[in-house]
Amino acid sequence: MKRSGKIEIALVAGLAMSGCGRKAYDPCAPQTFNEAACQDAVNHNGYYYGGRWYSHSYPGGYSWYYNGYNSFVRRGGSVTTVPSSEWTAPGTSDPSGARSTGSGVSRGIFGSSAHGGGGGE
């Protein structure tokens, strides 16, 4: 029995480690900050990453995350640049599915479902 227990532990540990590389980056985290995607994530309580919706509450407001990013960079923090295409909703070209209104304000096209999917024109 001990041998199978060791195998189970190794399997669980291996699966956990392999999942770490697939974790979605947060556009408001200082290490992966993306201005447009963070603004949209704060406004819509979540973001798209790799075509998948991640629901997340941002209680600090956009300026709090922006200031945190700037502080992180000033202290010499290492930033991972994530391509803008990773922050887009499926079938869109703007971060987090936002569409520009031409007024400098981005509006999401998330539809009415709780997970933020859907939306078309």
Side-chain angles (χ1 to χ4, degrees), residues 1-12:
M1 283 298 235
K2 284 186 180 183
R3 184 173 184 187
S4 66
K6 289 180 182 178
I7 292 171
E8 286 177 29
I9 291 171
L11 179 61
V12 169

Side-chain angles (χ1 to χ4, degrees), residues 12-30:
V12 169
L15 289 173
M17 288 173 54
S18 69
C20 290
R22 297 181 187 191
K23 184 177 184 289
Y25 291 116
D26 184 334
C28 295

